[in-house]
């Protein structure tokens, strides 16, 4: 594809969104440098469901087949009664594939991150910079200078904040708007298959929502491990961080009354393999862009995980950012195209996830998944930009 503007792009945050954006821009001929606060650039041990809309972005980025080979095409998604385990709804993945053209994948986050990072490094082995915590920026008519906690600086034509739901880039651009506790505490664990009760394994993917709580399990890596995530309503949360060790006892206590095999699954979690964190939320913004700086992924539209679309949205954003740059004559045009294409959808999915959270944890309300809401029909490779 012919490049119409010359722009050196700086990305803050080497998570799924930042890495995918780097790849989308590189593939369209742009020079990219990515700055990540962690000492080592890698993802944590947790699962993520990647649906058709995001897989279309991964196909365009040339990494979908590699990811599929490492992942699970979950055969069927079950919604079960939280006390008895009785199946209330079964959605075969094949049915999803027939409706939207591509099946959903159960993916280890580290695998998704690695296929993206390998492709980025193959394009430019020197573009990733670890141990660089963004703390502020200055911009002028020619470019942006980012400042890091070490005192170092870096300069580029534009800066993309891809630094997650407590984004320092967003706080710098919009200092009056702080992330707040979303009233939900999350537990997460990866459990070896040998420790999974047979009835849970047989049901493949189990989502069970009880009053004020929700639990989801699905297999990763060809069934070697079971991903387990729980979300519990809570009035308070004081600790910072999202990888705080939790105990099996407190997890079991939070799910008192749940079907015995799910409680056995929780009790079987191996030592040092259970973490908790408080979910953060922010209100939708009227703009994501200030001058030569914009945002993507959770930085732009932090969302609760009830529709399983946060990483998918970050992948969609990444591809549209690359397409917008490729279609534009100037940085301002590229940012306008990107934001016009992405902000309505980011806001819609952010607000829908919030609504679904309240629905899910209320047994009297009817669930509407991302597919039910038509979100999987979106094609980030062909929507106008
Ligand atoms: C329980 C749970 C389950 C989920 N399940 C799903 C699912 O099934 N499907 C789905 O699509 N999504 C899911 N999500 C959402 C998904 O995990 C996020 O939306 C996604 O990770 C967002 O990607 P990101 O790149 O924008 O941000 P992040 O993944 O948070 O990456 C941000 C990166 O920026 C770095 N960083 C932060 N601050 C700085 C700084 N100051 N300087 C430099 N670097 C910095 C971080 O270290 C990190 O590497 C789930 C989320 C939760 C909480």
């Amino acid at each position: 594809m012919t490049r119409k503007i010359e722009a050196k792009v700086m990305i803050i945050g080497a998570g799924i969104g930042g890495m995918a954006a780097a790849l989308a821009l590189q593939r369209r001929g742009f020079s990219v440098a990515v700055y990540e606060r962690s000492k080592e650039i890698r993802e944590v041990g947790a699962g993520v469901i990647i649906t058709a809309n995001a897989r279309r972005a991964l196909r365009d980025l040339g990494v979908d087949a590699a990811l599929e080979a490492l992942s699970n095409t979950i055969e069927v998604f079950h919604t079960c009664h939280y006390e008895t385990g009785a199946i209330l709804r079964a959605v075969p993945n094949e049915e999803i594939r027939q409706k939207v053209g591509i099946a959903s994948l159960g993916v280890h986050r580290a695998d998704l991150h690695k296929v993206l990072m390998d492709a980025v490094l193959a394009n430019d082995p020197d573009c990733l910079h670890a141990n660089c915590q963004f703390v502020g920026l200055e911009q002028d008519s020619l470019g942006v200078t980012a400042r890091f906690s070490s005192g170092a600086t870096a300069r580029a034509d534009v800066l993309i904040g891809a630094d997650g739901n407590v984004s320092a880039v967003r706080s710098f651009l919009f200092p009056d708007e702080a992330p707040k506790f979303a009233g939900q505490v999350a537990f997460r664990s990866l459990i070896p298959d040998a420790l999974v009760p047979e009835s849970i394994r047989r049901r493949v993917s189990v989502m069970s929502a009880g009053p004020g709580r929700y639990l989801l399990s699905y297999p990763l890596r060809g069934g070697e491990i079971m991903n387990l995530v729980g979300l519990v309503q809570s009035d308070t949360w004081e600790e910072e961080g999202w990888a705080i060790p939790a105990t099996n006892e407190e997890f079991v206590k939070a799910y008192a009354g749940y079907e015995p095999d799910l409680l056995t699954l929780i009790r079987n979690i191996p030592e040092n393999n259970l973490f908790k964190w408080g979910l953060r939320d922010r209100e939708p913004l009227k703009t994501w862009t200030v001058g030569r700086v914009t945002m993507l992924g959770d930085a732009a539209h932090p969302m609760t995980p009830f529709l399983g679309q946060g990483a998918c949205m970050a992948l969609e954003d990444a591809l549209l950012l690359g397409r917008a740059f490729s279609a534009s004559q100037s940085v301002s045009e590229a940012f306008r195209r990107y934001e016009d294409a992405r902000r309505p959808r980011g806001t819609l999915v952010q607000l829908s996830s919030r609504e679904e959270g309240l629905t899910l944890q209320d047994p009297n309300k009817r669930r509407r998944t991302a597919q039910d809401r038509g979100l999987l029909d979106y094609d980030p490779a062909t929507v106008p930009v």
Side-chain angles (χ1 to χ4, degrees):
M1 207 172 284
T2 323
R3 185 165 37 134
K4 296 177 188 163
I5 46 174
E6 292 286 335
K8 191 174 164 210
V9 181
M10 167 164 35
I11 297 174
I12 305 296
I16 289 163
M19 210 56 93
L23 185 56
L25 288 158
Q26 283 176 335
R27 284 169 67 87
R28 287 161 176 81
F30 295 92
S31 160
V32 182
V34 186
Y35 296 86
E36 163 63 44
R37 70 175 168 193
S38 308
K39 287 192 179 65
E40 202 184 333
I41 299 183
R42 64 185 173 88
E43 260 293 343
V44 294
V48 67
I49 291 179
I50 298 297
T51 49
N53 45 323
R55 291 191 65 187
R56 293 187 189 100
L58 293 172
R59 282 185 178 175
D60 187 279
L61 296 175
V63 296
D64 183 67
L67 184 68
E68 185 172 19
L70 297 168
S71 305
N72 258 76
T73 310
I74 299 166
E75 289 147 43
V76 52
F77 294 91
H78 283 122
T79 304
C80 296
H81 191 280
Y82 76 102
E83 291 171 303
T84 64
I87 293 171
L88 305 174
R89 187 181 182 195
V91 180
N93 213 339
E94 178 55 22
E95 188 183 304
I96 297 175
R97 196 189 62 75
Q98 280 175 16
K99 281 193 181 138
V100 298
I102 309 178
S104 303
L105 284 183
V107 171
H108 195 301
R109 292 177 72 105
D111 295 338
L112 171 57
H113 191 259
K114 187 170 184 315
V115 295
L116 292 168
M117 184 161 78
D118 287 351
V120 166
L121 289 173
N123 290 330
D124 179 356
D126 302 317
C127 70
L128 303 184
H129 306 274
N131 217 358
C132 292
Q133 174 154 12
F134 169 92
V135 290
L137 65 86
E138 274 77 48
Q139 55 175 318
D140 52 46
S141 60
L142 296 176
V144 189
T145 301
R147 285 183 274 112
F148 301 103
S149 56
S150 61
T153 59
R155 186 151 173 96
D157 298 306
V158 293
L159 183 148
I160 314 296
D163 51 345
N165 64 359
V166 285
S167 168
V169 173
R170 178 164 169 158
S171 295
F172 189 88
L173 297 181
F174 304 98
D176 297 334
E177 180 261 1
K180 60 178 192 299
F181 174 54
Q184 303 273 348
V185 172
F187 292 89
R188 72 174 160 90
S189 182
L190 296 180
I191 304 162
D193 180 59
L195 300 175
V196 177
E198 178 51 30
S199 83
I200 309 286
R201 185 184 302 117
R202 211 178 327 112
R203 276 177 276 164
V204 188
S205 164
V206 176
M207 197 290 289
S208 48
R213 296 161 295 170
Y214 152 103
L215 200 63
L216 172 67
S217 61
Y218 55 87
L220 303 175
R221 291 189 174 154
E224 264 175 46
I225 37 182
M226 186 67 85
N227 181 65
L228 180 66
V229 56
L231 289 150
V232 186
Q233 287 176 11
S234 165
D235 292 335
T236 54
W237 179 261
E238 279 154 21
E239 287 174 89
E240 274 305 324
W242 65 284
I244 296 156
T247 65
N248 300 26
E249 293 69 39
E250 68 180 299
F251 197 177
V252 167
K253 197 170 155 210
Y255 285 83
Y258 261 59
E259 66 162 298
D261 280 350
L262 281 173
L263 295 179
T264 302
L265 181 66
I266 295 175
R267 287 196 185 91
N268 286 354
I269 293 172
E271 218 176 313
N272 301 325
N273 207 12
L274 175 58
F275 304 94
K276 63 178 175 181
W277 72 104
L279 297 191
R280 305 284 155 162
D281 204 358
R282 288 175 128 162
E283 292 306 315
L285 289 172
K286 291 201 172 64
T287 179
W288 296 347
T289 305
V290 176
R292 291 176 168 267
V293 182
T294 196
M295 298 178 288
L296 59 74
D298 278 1
H301 42 66
M303 59 184 71
T304 53
F306 298 104
L307 288 174
Q309 284 292 310
C312 293
M313 287 303 115
L315 292 167
E316 289 182 4
D317 289 345
L319 181 57
L320 265 299
L321 186 74
R323 290 184 55 211
F325 266 79
S326 171
S328 299
Q329 308 285 351
S330 67
V331 165
S332 57
E333 181 188 346
F335 279 179
R336 184 185 50 70
R337 283 180 186 267
Y338 162 69
E339 203 179 309
D340 284 355
R342 292 304 302 161
R343 200 161 48 78
R345 180 154 166 98
T347 301
L348 169 78
V349 180
Q350 181 181 6
L351 296 178
S352 304
S353 299
R354 207 182 272 176
E355 177 204 300
E356 183 65 15
L358 297 174
T359 301
L360 256 183
Q361 294 173 336
D362 179 345
N364 301 316
K365 290 188 175 160
R366 190 173 151 69
R367 185 181 177 202
R368 280 178 71 220
T369 63
Q371 190 200 344
D372 298 335
R373 293 166 187 265
L375 298 178
L376 276 53
D377 299 326
Y378 185 89
D379 185 349
T382 57
V383 289
V385 67

